[in-house]
């Protein structure tokens, strides 16, 4: 259905001078100035009939939720007192994004009709006729079908988007359709795995602007700040790290972890994404292999079929400022060509001293209807981030006792730097073949370059002398280039008197970390101990830390180059949703994958005077002393296949059960003979109940799961398998490991996820996870029954609710929100070295070996904690909104991550304020 909105459409205006992105304190002022400029543009009116002459337009308070258009129009008629005349077939299948706030009756009606293809005209003083907008451009892509009933969005085009999973403009905390577990729009109720969504409205309400804050609000996900600091955390689900990500449902991309040389550093700005979909458990069917932790799917914002712009300025604690400009609309060809641009700049301070970061995002996308059944979207985005990072965190006493340092303590240095440049180009082609079949091709190419030079304190504190930590430094250059291609054919056919659904496809994913360069520590080349006269690491007084006492050292020597380090994966998949009788649906899927790994690494001489080679002769400083080459491939056909069952108890309630396999190539690791290890295998079994009442405006699910992983690598030692031509002591990459099929990793528990509108005007999101993960099998010895990840809590609760007050008076313009993130205790244990013996290897590289008898055991925990947040917002007028977000409302002091006694302990943020001014045009 077609419509014309009363929302004022902006002309494509000549480009104004580029906004001079502000200094640390001017974000709100720039936002206000830009928005004022936008609001003064002369914009053409869409086609609708003006109110009859002499009719007075009064402002009224409206609060009509997103959903069925027919229901919304009835509510509008009751509030406005207008008589609406229209044919029922016009609104029978249409949806609306709703309307909230005080405005004229005409403006409210225009907002209700936005994106529906309908317009209105006054036929009298109190009578309005609703009809098709004949002036609007038409696009026919064929039916876009969302699997399952009672979905919140049954057709493409929520808020004028061609994406049937889009959430922008719905003002909802749930979605009627996700594609992460099906490769086609499918309701949460009919998805036989644990899935959840974080919508555009929820990201706005909770001020989620980056990938880490997104994951911190995702059900079942634990964010662990590693030694690499908050710029490169690791994300855990069900006791396993999440290592892959999709964009727009495409082929998997490697996000690795903070220490991965091929994985993407996940400093992603959420300004360019509509929503995020999260799948917990094995994701192998559509991704080539299955990781037990799950996968994340980020869905980009698409160009809309009507003019829309928003500008937002934010300023908060520790000089944290941000400005975002988002503009979209038709560009020509009678609406068949549409565009979208997002620009964001953030200058971020932290609650601890010295560290800081600034980030710039530029995102652009063009979408065109090549024919009445073909749509092509192309675009690119560029993100640049420069930071003064805090890495390795805080140490503890030798026994693990807390040093009780102030929260603003930062053992970091003004010469620290971490620069990340990310460039991405993408294209999506969607072809409707007929009323039942469609084809989608998704291509993404991403290139990221990062480099850092970081000083940090590392070492446990002696409680008697208060000494122990030493200054260390590291330098690296990294690159990650990834290409992800996915082609999916999906459709339906009639068989046994029921509609059957078939999905077939193939994908290609290439990840290359070539360009990685490591350097020797710059500290050991410059510091000489005044007491021993030996080159080593200077001590750091953590209780009286003075960063100015440590001048920037010169760069270290290149110690290694890696021109190639990556994988190439081809996969084919097919899944059939078979219905033999109405209540029961059987879904079966098969996957074939081919995997190839290639690695070339050069070890360089760092010894003044040169290094001796095994083959005779010597290499100068910087010369190659050895090369490690690895190139091999494997293939796999999934068996047993993925099997899922969904039983519809009624139209809103279903039971499900599923089995998915766990399969991951680890041929990058080798045994003592240099042979690649066989793949990690296992299985994920889960079942549960899903509920979708209120016409799909609420989704709830309870899942029970049990997964077993086996054949994972067990580290033996560094081995004696030397690479050909290498220097003495140079060993093959990732040597040496073994595998024991009798040792198992087991994870089991429950997920509860509730999102959507639980009462009119009350949006709600709650995720609770119980997880028990452990090592199983007698061959684990004394570690049998111990957790796989002690930093991942057994109980994890994430809750947020937002209430729009009833219409009428000033209170009708206000909304409030509140939430909590709570988790049970986590702990860590091990041993720490209190005295090192320093030396050099044959290549001249610094070595540090723990002195015999200098290992001290530690064991400590972070107890249960809960962090409350709140938000208050006020709609100043029909365009402007003012909001205040407060995180850690009660100013709780806690460790967000508890590392070891030597480092890796990170305080959670204190009470934080963020004031936002947002204009919508």
């Amino acid at each position: 259905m077609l419509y014309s909105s009363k929302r004022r459409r902006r002309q494509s205006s000549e480009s104004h001078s580029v906004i001079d992105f502000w200094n640390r304190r001017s974000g709100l002022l720039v936002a206000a100035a830009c928005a004022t400029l936008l609001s003064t543009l002369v914009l053409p009116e869409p086609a609708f009939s003006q109110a009859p002459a002499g009719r007075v337009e009064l402002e009224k308070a409206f609060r009509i939720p997103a959903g069925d258009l027919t229901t919304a129009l009835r509510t509008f008629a009751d509030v406005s007192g207008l008589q609406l005349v229209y044919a029922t077939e016009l609104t029978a299948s249409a949806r609306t994004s709703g309307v909230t706030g005080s405005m004229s009756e005409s403006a409210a009606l225009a907002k209700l009709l936005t994106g529906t293809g309908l317009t209105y005209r006054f036929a009298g003083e109190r009578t309005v006729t609703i009809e098709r907008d004949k002036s609007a451009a038409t696009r026919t892509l064929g039916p876009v079908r969302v699997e399952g009933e009672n979905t919140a969005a049954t057709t493409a085009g929520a808020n004028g988007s061609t994406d049937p999973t889009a959430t922008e403009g719905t003002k909802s905390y749930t979605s009627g359709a996700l594609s992460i577990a099906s490769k086609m729009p499918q309701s949460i109720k009919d998805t036989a795995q644990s899935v959840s969504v974080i919508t555009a409205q929820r990201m706005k309400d909770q001020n989620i602007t980056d990938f880490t804050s997104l994951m911190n609000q995702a059900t079942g996900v634990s964010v662990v700040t590693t030694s690499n600091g908050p710029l490169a955390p690791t994300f855990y689900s069900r006791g396993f790290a999440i290592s892959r990500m999709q964009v727009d449902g495409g082929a998997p991309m490697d996000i690795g972890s903070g220490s991965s040389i091929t994985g993407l550093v996940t400093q992603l700005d959420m300004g360019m994404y509509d929503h995020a979909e999260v799948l917990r458990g094995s994701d192998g069917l559509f991704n080539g292999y299955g990781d037990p932790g799950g996968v994340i799917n980020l869905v980009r914002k698409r160009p809309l079929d009507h003019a829309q712009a928003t500008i937002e300025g934010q300023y908060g604690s520790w000089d944290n400022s941000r400005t975002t400009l988002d503009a979209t609309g038709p560009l020509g060809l009678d609406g068949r060509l549409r565009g979208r641009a997002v620009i964001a700049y953030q200058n971020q301070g932290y609650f601890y001293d010295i560290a800081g970061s600034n980030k710039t995002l530029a995102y652009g996308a063009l979408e065109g209807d090549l024919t009445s059944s073909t749509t092509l979207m192309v675009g690119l985005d560029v993100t640049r981030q420069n930071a003064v990072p805090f890495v390795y965190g805080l140490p503890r006493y030798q026994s693990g006792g807390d040093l009780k340092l102030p929260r603003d303590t930062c053992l970091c240095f003004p010469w620290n730097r971490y620069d990340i440049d990310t460039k991405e180009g993408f294209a999506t082609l969607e072809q409707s073949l007929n009323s039942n079949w469609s084809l989608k091709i998704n291509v993404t190419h991403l290139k990221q370059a990062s480099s850092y030079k970081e000083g940090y304190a590392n070492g446990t504190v002696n409680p008697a002398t208060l000494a122990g930590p030493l200054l260390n430094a590291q330098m690296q250059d990294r690159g990650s280039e990834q290409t992800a291609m996915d082609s999916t054919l999906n459709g339906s056919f009639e068989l046994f008197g029921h509609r059957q659904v078939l999905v077939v496809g193939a994908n290609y994913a290439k990840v290359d970390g070539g360009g990685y360069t490591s350097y020797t520590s710059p500290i050991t080349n410059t510091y000489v101990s005044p007491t021993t006269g030996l080159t080593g690491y200077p001590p750091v007084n953590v209780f009286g830390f003075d960063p100015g006492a440590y001048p920037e050292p010169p760069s270290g020597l290149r110690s290694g180059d890696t021109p190639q380090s990556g994988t190439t994966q081809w996969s084919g998949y097919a899944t059939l949703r078979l219905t033999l009788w109405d209540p029961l649906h059987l879904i079966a899927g098969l996957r074939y994958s081919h995997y190839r790994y290639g690695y070339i690494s050069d070890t360089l001489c760092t010894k003044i005077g040169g290094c001796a080679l095994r083959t005779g002769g010597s290499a100068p400083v910087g010369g190659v002393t050895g090369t490690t080459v690895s190139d091999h491939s494997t293939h796999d056909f999934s068996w047993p296949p993925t099997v899922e069952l969904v039983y519809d108890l009624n139209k809103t309630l279903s039971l499900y059960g599923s089995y998915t396999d766990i399969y991951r190539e680890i041929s990058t690791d080798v045994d003592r003979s240099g042979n690649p290890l066989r793949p990690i295998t296992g299985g994920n079994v889960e079942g549960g109940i899903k509920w979708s009442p209120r016409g799909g405006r609420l989704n709830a699910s309870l899942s029970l799961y049990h997964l077993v992983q086996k054949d994972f690598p067990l580290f033996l030692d560094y081995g004696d398998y030397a690479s050909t031509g290498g220097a003495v002591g140079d060993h093959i990459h990732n040597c040496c490991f073994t595998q024991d099929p009798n040792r198992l990793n087991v994870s089991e528990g429950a997920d509860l996820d509730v999102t959507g509108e639980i009462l009119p005007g009350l949006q709600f999101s709650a995720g609770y996870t119980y997880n028990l993960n452990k090592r199983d099998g007698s061959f684990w010895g004394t570690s049998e029954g111990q957790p796989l990840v002690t930093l991942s809590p057994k109980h994890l609760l994430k809750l947020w609710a937002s209430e729009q007050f009833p219409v009428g008076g000033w209170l009708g313009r206000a909304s409030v929100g509140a939430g909590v993130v709570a988790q049970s205790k986590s702990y860590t244990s091990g041993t720490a070295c209190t005295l090192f013996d320093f030396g050099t290897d044959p290549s001249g590289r610094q070595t540090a070996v723990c002195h015999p008898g200098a290992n001290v055991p530690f064991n400590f925990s972070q107890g249960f904690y809960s962090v409350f947040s709140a938000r208050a917002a006020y709609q100043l007028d029909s365009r402007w909104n003012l909001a205040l977000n407060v995180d850690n409302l009660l100013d709780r002091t806690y460790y967000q991550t508890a590392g070891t006694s030597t480092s890796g302990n990170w305080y959670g943020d204190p009470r934080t304020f963020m004031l936002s001014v947002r204009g919508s045009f």
Side-chain angles (χ1 to χ4, degrees):
M1 302 180 72
L2 307 175
Y3 100 102
S4 171
S5 169
K6 190 181 183 230
R7 186 180 308 182
R8 300 179 67 98
R9 303 191 178 208
R10 280 179 302 282
Q11 282 178 316
S12 288
S13 58
E14 292 183 358
S15 199
H16 295 277
S17 60
V18 176
I19 296 173
D20 181 16
F21 288 119
W22 60 98
N23 60 31
R24 294 175 68 88
R25 286 179 162 78
S26 59
L28 287 174
L29 296 178
V30 171
C34 293
T36 302
L37 178 62
L38 284 173
S39 66
T40 61
L41 296 177
V42 178
L43 308 175
E45 293 283 356
F48 67 87
S49 173
Q50 299 291 339
R55 183 178 186 274
V56 178
E57 285 274 332
L58 299 177
E59 281 200 356
K60 293 186 177 181
F62 293 91
R63 182 182 169 190
I64 304 175
D68 175 70
L69 179 60
T70 301
T71 302
L73 289 175
R74 290 172 183 165
T75 304
F76 171 81
D78 292 339
V79 175
S80 66
L82 296 177
Q83 180 179 1
L84 305 182
V85 179
Y86 55 90
T88 55
E89 61 267 18
L90 289 179
T91 63
S93 60
R95 312 286 297 183
T96 177
S97 59
V99 58
T100 300
S102 296
M103 64 193 74
S104 68
E105 297 159 346
S106 298
L109 182 56
K111 284 182 177 291
L112 281 181
L113 297 179
T114 299
T116 64
L118 302 178
T119 186
Y120 71 91
R121 60 182 176 84
F122 278 87
E125 175 70 19
R126 305 297 299 170
T127 303
V128 178
T129 298
I130 296 175
E131 56 194 15
R132 293 190 184 278
D133 180 11
K134 297 179 181 179
S135 67
T138 60
R139 302 194 308 277
T140 306
L141 290 178
V144 179
R145 199 183 296 269
V146 177
E147 292 305 309
E149 301 183 38
N150 300 303
T151 60
T154 56
T155 60
N159 196 35
S161 171
T162 57
D163 181 4
T165 70
T167 65
E168 180 186 18
T170 64
K171 299 183 179 180
S172 175
Y173 281 9
T174 194
S175 173
L178 304 181
S179 63
I180 189 170
S182 57
K183 286 292 183 181
M184 62 184 300
Q186 180 169 273
S187 69
I188 295 176
K189 183 179 76 72
D190 292 311
T191 302
Q193 287 184 268
S194 297
V195 294
S196 56
V197 61
I198 299 179
T199 65
Q201 185 65 40
R202 191 170 156 211
M203 286 193 288
K204 172 187 170 184
D205 290 351
Q206 293 189 262
N207 191 36
I208 296 173
T209 60
D210 61 76
F211 190 76
T212 300
S213 58
L214 174 88
M215 298 296 277
N216 194 50
Q217 296 299 329
T219 297
V221 177
S222 298
V223 179
V224 175
T225 305
T226 63
S227 61
N228 295 277
L231 294 179
T234 300
F235 312 106
Y236 287 93
S237 173
R238 299 186 175 181
F240 296 89
I242 297 175
S243 61
R244 296 190 301 170
M245 175 186 77
Q246 299 173 343
V247 181
D248 286 346
M253 303 179 71
D254 181 17
I255 62 175
S257 64
S259 60
S260 170
I261 69 171
T262 60
L264 176 71
V265 180
T266 53
Q267 284 302 298
L268 305 175
D269 194 286
M270 298 309 297
M272 60 181 168
Y273 298 108
D274 176 271
H275 67 278
E277 302 170 355
V278 183
L279 183 149
R280 296 172 294 278
S282 179
D283 63 333
L285 180 58
F286 299 116
N287 291 295
Y289 57 79
D291 263 344
V295 68
I296 311 300
N297 181 34
L298 300 179
V299 181
R300 298 184 182 98
K301 291 178 177 178
R302 293 195 183 187
L304 304 181
D305 67 354
H306 61 278
Q308 172 184 295
T310 59
I311 185 165
E312 184 173 32
Q314 298 179 297
Y315 184 78
S317 302
W318 309 293
D319 285 342
N320 193 350
S321 59
R322 177 181 172 90
T323 293
T324 307
L325 175 63
D326 183 348
T328 182
L331 299 178
L333 302 178
D334 295 327
R336 295 194 301 274
L337 178 64
R338 302 167 294 281
R340 187 157 198 164
V342 178
I343 299 174
Y345 178 83
Q346 183 165 355
N347 199 0
Q348 182 176 5
Y350 296 93
F351 63 90
Y352 36 77
D353 299 331
I354 301 177
S357 173
N358 63 77
K359 179 169 59 177
T360 303
L361 163 72
Y363 167 79
L366 291 174
E367 184 179 71
D369 303 323
L370 305 183
T371 70
S372 61
S373 60
T374 309
T375 296
L376 174 67
M377 182 177 73
V378 297
L380 58 87
D381 59 83
V382 177
T383 305
R384 174 167 292 178
Q385 184 164 3
N386 306 110
V388 177
F390 179 18
V391 295
Y392 275 76
L394 302 173
R396 304 176 78 97
Y397 288 116
Q398 292 177 355
S399 63
D402 189 2
L403 299 181
K404 304 293 185 180
L405 293 171
R407 278 188 293 186
D408 62 356
T409 301
C410 180
L411 303 180
C412 49
F413 309 88
W415 44 267
N416 279 11
R417 66 174 184 269
Y418 197 158
D419 302 324
I420 308 169
D421 289 335
T422 307
K423 300 176 182 178
E424 181 184 34
F426 57 90
T428 301
L429 178 69
E430 295 175 283
Q431 175 68 55
S432 176
L433 303 177
N434 55 38
S435 60
N436 293 317
W437 291 87
S438 63
L439 174 70
K440 180 178 180 180
I441 300 174
N442 188 318
V443 180
T444 296
H445 182 77
L446 184 147
K447 189 172 184 179
Q448 184 179 80
S450 62
S451 63
Y452 59 80
K453 181 179 184 179
E454 301 166 334
Y456 58 94
N458 186 47
T460 184
V461 177
N462 186 311
T465 66
L466 302 184
L470 302 176
L471 173 63
N472 289 252
Q474 57 187 6
M475 286 184 60
Q476 288 185 358
D477 297 326
R478 296 185 179 187
S480 178
E481 187 167 0
Q482 306 197 38
T483 300
M485 303 174 62
D486 186 86
S487 178
T488 303
L489 174 69
N490 68 74
S492 62
F493 56 92
E494 293 294 327
L495 184 66
F496 307 124
H498 298 280
R499 180 174 173 269
Q500 320 298 342
V501 179
L502 177 67
V503 176
V504 295
N507 59 37
Y508 166 86
K510 183 176 182 180
V511 182
D512 188 8
Y516 169 75
T517 301
S518 59
Y519 299 84
T520 60
S521 172
I523 297 297
T524 57
N525 295 329
T526 60
Y527 175 76
V528 178
S529 171
T531 56
T532 65
L534 300 176
T535 299
Y537 300 93
V540 174
N541 180 4
V542 298
F543 297 98
F545 181 67
D546 178 12
Y550 305 90
E552 179 177 1
S555 297
L557 300 174
R558 287 195 311 149
S559 59
D561 282 339
T562 305
Q564 178 184 344
S565 175
T567 61
T568 303
Q569 176 185 292
W570 297 267
S571 299
Y573 52 83
T575 179
L576 174 65
R577 182 184 177 91
L578 188 63
T579 303
L580 299 179
W581 64 91
D582 280 329
L584 185 64
H585 312 280
L586 170 67
I587 302 97
L590 290 173
R591 176 206 69 235
Y592 172 81
S593 60
H594 182 276
Y595 175 92
R596 184 168 186 172
Y597 169 73
Y599 178 84
I600 301 175
S601 180
D602 295 327
T603 301
L604 308 180
C605 178
T606 60
K607 186 177 181 180
I608 303 300
C611 302
L613 301 177
R614 283 197 185 91
T615 55
S618 63
V621 174
V624 177
T625 62
T627 299
T628 299
V629 178
S630 183
D631 189 353
H632 48 83
S633 60
T634 60
H635 61 88
D636 170 70
F637 184 80
S638 63
W639 195 264
T642 294
V643 179
E644 302 172 352
L645 284 173
V646 178
Y647 185 83
D648 298 323
L649 297 174
N650 53 46
K651 290 185 177 182
T652 64
L653 200 63
S654 65
L655 299 175
Y656 82 92
S658 65
Y659 167 84
T660 52
D661 74 320
I662 295 171
Y663 178 89
R664 180 171 183 133
E665 278 292 338
I666 52 169
S667 47
T668 55
D669 298 332
V670 297
D671 60 22
R672 281 194 175 126
S673 300
N675 299 315
L677 300 185
R678 60 184 179 271
I680 297 173
T681 59
N684 181 95
V685 178
E686 69 175 79
I689 186 169
K690 298 195 176 186
W691 184 45
S692 183
R694 301 183 60 79
R697 295 192 296 274
L698 177 66
N699 281 287
S701 62
L702 174 63
S703 307
L704 305 177
Y705 60 87
H706 177 86
L707 66 88
V708 176
Q709 183 194 58
K710 59 182 180 180
D711 291 326
F712 42 86
L714 300 169
F715 180 73
L716 292 174
D717 52 42
Y718 289 103
D720 54 6
Y721 184 80
S723 56
T724 303
V728 175
D730 188 24
H731 304 294
I732 194 170
H733 180 59
N734 287 350
C735 181
C736 295
F737 295 86
T738 187
Q739 291 171 293
D740 186 341
N742 295 308
R743 299 191 186 191
L744 307 176
N745 289 333
V746 178
S747 178
E748 56 191 9
D751 286 331
L752 174 65
D753 191 75
V754 182
T755 55
E757 187 182 56
I758 58 175
L759 293 172
L762 179 58
Q763 294 291 333
F764 183 77
S765 173
Y768 166 74
T769 299
Y770 169 79
N771 177 250
L772 180 64
N773 58 80
K774 62 180 180 178
R775 298 181 175 95
D776 200 8
S778 59
F779 289 89
W780 277 113
T782 57
S783 62
E784 181 184 359
Q786 296 298 309
L788 308 178
V789 182
T790 62
L791 297 180
S792 182
K794 184 182 296 185
H795 302 274
L796 181 60
L797 173 67
K798 300 180 180 183
L799 185 149
W800 179 267
S802 179
E803 166 72 11
Q804 174 67 52
F805 289 113
V807 296
W810 67 269
L811 190 60
R813 298 186 178 192
S815 63
V816 295
V820 64
V821 174
Q823 68 174 55
S824 57
K825 78 171 184 177
S826 59
Y827 74 94
T828 185
S829 61
T831 60
C833 183
T834 60
L835 178 63
F836 287 95
D837 296 329
F838 296 102
T840 58
D841 67 10
S843 296
R845 289 174 293 190
Q846 180 81 35
T847 61
V849 180
C850 190
H851 188 77
N855 278 313
V856 176
F858 63 84
N859 190 315
F860 58 91
S861 65
Q862 165 61 55
F864 167 85
Y865 68 83
S866 56
V867 180
F868 291 87
S869 302
R871 177 180 188 265
Y874 191 76
Q875 192 71 33
L876 301 175
D877 56 28
S878 60
R879 292 184 174 179
W880 291 98
N881 182 275
L882 181 66
L884 177 65
N885 284 76
V886 184
D887 293 327
N888 197 356
L889 187 65
L890 304 180
D891 201 22
R892 172 75 182 266
T893 298
Y894 66 100
Y895 280 103
Q896 187 269 337
T897 298
T900 68
S901 62
T902 60
S903 63
N905 299 280
W906 298 91
Y907 279 118
D909 289 5
R911 184 186 294 117
T912 307
F913 298 90
M914 179 63 77
L915 180 66
S916 305
V917 177
R918 181 184 180 94
S920 302
F921 304 89

